[in-house]
Amino acid sequence: MTEPAPAAAAPVAHPEIEWRRLPPKMLVVAPASILLKFIPAFVVVLLFGGSESPVKIWITVAIAVFAVAAGLIRWRTTRYRITPERVELHSGLVSRQRRSVPRDRIRTVDLTSTFLHQMFGLSVVKVGAGQSSTAGKDGQGLDLDAVSGAEAERLRRELLAVPAPASDAPATGPPATRTPETEHVTATEPIELDRLSWSSLRYAPLTVSSLAAVGALAAAGWNLVNEADIDPRTLPGVSTATGELSTAPLWAAIGVGIGLLLLVLVAGALVLFTERWWNFRLTREPDGTLRVRRGLLTQRSLSVSEQRLRGVTVAEPLLVRLVGRGAQAGALSVGLGGSEGSDGGGGALQPPVPAAHAHEVAAVAMRSSEPVTDVALRAHPVAARTRRLTRAVVPALVVIAAAWVLGGVWDLAWLGPVSLVLLPIGVLLALDRYRSLGNRLDERFLVSRQGSLVRSTVALQRDGVIGWRIRQSVFQRRAGVVTLDAITGAGAGAYEILDVDPAVAVDLARSTTPSALDAFVPGGHSTQSP
């Protein structure tokens, strides 16, 4: 016989709180959203259905009817409500879903409004309740697609106003890390911390994520053209240019091709950057949240509670760092994935900007009057440099040897000599990776830095570190170094300090969380490093 539920579970039932439905405008937005996804199918049907065949008409009508029916069912079966303890969402007809998220587990509230949603004044509310959750169980986030703009803003304020529970606070850490600078300042209006400067456009073509996105869009467009059986070389103007290139020297044709490719990539990166970061604003809200608003065709608003902010990161991709001396600040918050790259996702607080400005925003986000990430760091041992060089030079030598062998087999005499450029490139990258290594511990933050292709500086609040992991591979054991992982409930969950002296690793762990290593030290309170 099942035992009755404990008395503490009684407040979960709130029959007096009415369920809310999505606005009637969703009867238009939901079908339209489905139809937009079927545009490629429409194109194929119209092009290959035959001019006299009614098949393409019936298929088009069937898709339209399906979209309207799906939208009607979605609107009719979706309802939600907010109780003092939980956010509840019921949806579905054939496959019914019942989602319930405890309000004290809510970490972020993300408002997203596509161009179609903007036309009807609607917004999608995405409630984040942590990174690791199982579908259908408590702790999973939920999406309300979609509610009115006013309702979305009200939900954002209401859901993030819940104080963080005691269990959500870090378990360890010295009380001294809490300083007056971390206390919330009472304000009645949002405080603007940063806004878009169009000078940041120069960084758009220098980020790998933007170039990859342009490449993906170009590939999708090329596939669509192929499916439509269209030969771009036969288009007016293109055929003439193609004919002229066919008679030009090979080096000229290759140069023109590379130039056109770079032009498309740069132009596409600029367009994507503009759409992603249009009207960007970073503000500190009166409800104690950091809010990032951005977007043109798709407007986004991400709110992160400062109570759950555990640190910041400043990422410097290689091209952005070398060509434009730029960087990008990101937030490390409980329930929010890390933002190590310049992709504008995750916990990014801003687009790529000059490095000095990124470090300044990182400090302001942590309510610090002193630099947080732009500080002098302790260098790592020489063994770390040897390991960087070995890991770069050995693979380069293998590739060079393979290039010489294959060049002889394939009768490509130039392949071997050209591959020699990999050796100096590998050495330069290895030395840059070593120069990037560093760590520091001060009164408030544990700071670590590493990387070359993307140099990342992470500043974790000392009371945001909840555990440690020390790792040592066979090669590290021979070199006399270890990797120290600082475990936290925010961002990626663990941030490593690579190739440090074992005594330094133990001292950092003990100094950051004094009680964490007591069980492993004779006497419990010894401060002598092994």
Side-chain angles (χ1 to χ4, degrees):
M1 182 175 180
T2 305
E3 296 183 359
V12 173
H14 292 278
E16 74 283 0
I17 299 181
E18 296 183 357
W19 289 87
R20 310 178 196 176
R21 292 192 180 276
L22 300 178
K25 295 179 181 179
M26 282 300 296
L27 290 173
V28 178
V29 175
S33 300
I34 296 175
L35 290 175
L36 286 176
K37 298 178 181 178
F38 280 99
I39 286 181
F42 286 146
V43 172
V44 173
V45 169
L46 293 175
L47 290 175
F48 303 102
S51 58
E52 299 179 357
S53 174
V55 174
K56 63 180 182 179
I57 299 178
W58 288 112
I59 292 179
T60 304
V61 171
I63 293 176
V65 171
F66 168 78
V68 173
L72 177 61
I73 293 174
R74 177 180 172 185
W75 176 81
R76 185 66 180 83
T77 60
T78 301
R79 55 179 183 160
Y80 69 97
R81 70 175 181 175
I82 300 177
T83 71
E85 297 88 7
R86 315 181 77 82
V87 180
E88 300 175 342
L89 173 65
H90 291 182
S91 62
L93 180 62
V94 178
S95 177
R96 295 183 178 180
Q97 294 186 2
R98 301 291 185 265
R99 295 187 179 180
S100 179
V101 178
R103 291 182 62 177
D104 60 4
R105 302 301 301 171
I106 294 175
R107 302 295 182 252
T108 60
V109 176
D110 189 353
L111 309 184
T112 304
S113 182
T114 66
F115 182 74
L116 185 60
H117 286 87
Q118 294 176 46
M119 292 176 60
F120 294 89
L122 301 177
S123 183
V124 180
V125 180
K126 299 182 179 181
V127 180
Q131 303 179 68
S132 57
S133 57
T134 305
K137 295 185 178 182
D138 287 352
Q140 181 186 20
L142 54 83
D143 295 352
L144 296 178
D145 185 9
V147 297
S148 66
E151 173 73 354
E153 183 63 25
R154 188 190 69 80
L155 289 174
R156 187 195 71 83
R157 292 195 301 266
E158 182 178 356
L159 296 178
L160 288 176
V162 180
S167 60
D168 187 53
T172 58
T177 56
R178 295 292 187 186
T179 70
E181 293 170 338
T182 64
E183 299 299 328
H184 294 300
V185 179
T186 303
T188 57
E189 297 293 335
I191 302 174
E192 184 174 285
L193 305 182
D194 196 16
R195 64 166 54 203
L196 179 64
S197 171
W198 286 110
S199 62
S200 293
L201 268 175
R202 68 182 186 269
Y203 298 112
L206 303 178
T207 57
V208 176
S209 58
S210 295
L211 297 179
V214 174
L217 292 176
W222 182 259
N223 289 334
L224 183 60
V225 169
N226 286 339
E227 290 293 335
D229 198 22
I230 298 175
D231 188 353
R233 293 173 297 182
T234 63
L235 297 177
V238 178
S239 58
T240 304
T242 303
E244 294 179 356
L245 284 176
S246 62
T247 59
L250 179 60
W251 62 267
I254 294 176
V256 171
I258 294 176
L260 290 176
L261 178 61
L262 291 177
L263 180 62
V264 170
L265 290 177
V266 170
L270 293 176
V271 171
L272 289 178
F273 183 94
T274 301
E275 195 285 327
R276 178 180 295 167
W277 293 105
W278 179 269
N279 201 30
F280 159 72
R281 295 289 188 277
L282 172 63
T283 57
R284 175 171 283 119
E285 300 293 316
D287 56 7
T289 61
L290 289 177
R291 187 176 187 182
V292 179
R293 282 173 283 193
R294 60 186 176 88
L296 180 59
L297 298 180
T298 299
Q299 296 180 354
R300 303 172 181 85
S301 170
L302 175 65
S303 298
V304 179
S305 173
E306 289 188 87
Q307 292 181 344
R308 299 183 175 101
L309 194 63
R310 298 294 179 258
V312 287
T313 177
V314 173
E316 304 170 82
L318 183 61
L319 290 179
V320 174
R321 173 161 51 99
L322 296 182
V323 179
R325 295 186 178 179
Q328 183 180 24
L332 302 180
S333 176
V334 176
L336 185 65
S339 176
E340 305 295 341
S342 299
D343 58 354
L349 293 175
Q350 59 181 179
V353 295
H357 183 56
H359 290 296
E360 178 184 354
V361 168
V364 171
M366 297 306 301
R367 294 182 178 268
S368 174
S369 58
E370 300 293 333
V372 173
T373 51
D374 189 17
V375 292
L377 303 180
R378 174 169 47 189
H380 286 211
V382 177
R385 181 178 62 191
T386 304
R387 279 175 47 78
R388 304 281 81 71
L389 287 170
T390 302
R391 297 177 67 174
V393 170
V394 171
L397 291 176
V398 172
V399 173
I400 290 172
W404 280 97
V405 173
L406 295 177
V409 173
W410 295 340
D411 196 22
L412 298 175
W414 56 268
L415 188 59
V418 169
S419 67
L420 291 175
V421 72
L422 295 177
L423 191 58
I425 291 177
V427 172
L428 290 176
L429 287 176
L431 294 177
D432 184 62
R433 289 193 65 194
Y434 174 71
R435 284 193 298 267
S436 296
L437 292 177
N439 64 84
R440 172 191 174 99
L441 181 66
D442 57 29
E443 293 183 356
R444 287 188 59 193
F445 297 98
L446 171 66
V447 185
S448 65
R449 187 178 64 200
Q450 64 168 302
S452 180
L453 297 180
V454 177
R455 186 169 70 184
S456 179
T457 305
V458 176
L460 281 175
Q461 285 183 322
R462 293 175 61 171
D463 55 3
V465 179
I466 59 177
W468 300 94
R469 180 171 59 234
I470 298 179
R471 296 178 287 122
Q472 189 178 50
S473 67
V474 174
F475 301 105
Q476 284 180 313
R477 191 176 304 120
R478 292 174 60 90
V481 294
V482 299
T483 295
L484 176 67
D485 293 331
I487 311 300
T488 179
Y495 292 91
E496 64 179 15
I497 304 176
L498 187 64
D499 286 352
V500 294
D501 185 90
V504 172
V506 173
D507 184 63
L508 282 173
R510 183 185 292 120
S511 300
T512 305
T513 53
S515 61
L517 301 183
D518 283 354
F520 304 96
V521 179
H525 299 285
S526 173
T527 59
Q528 183 179 358
S529 300

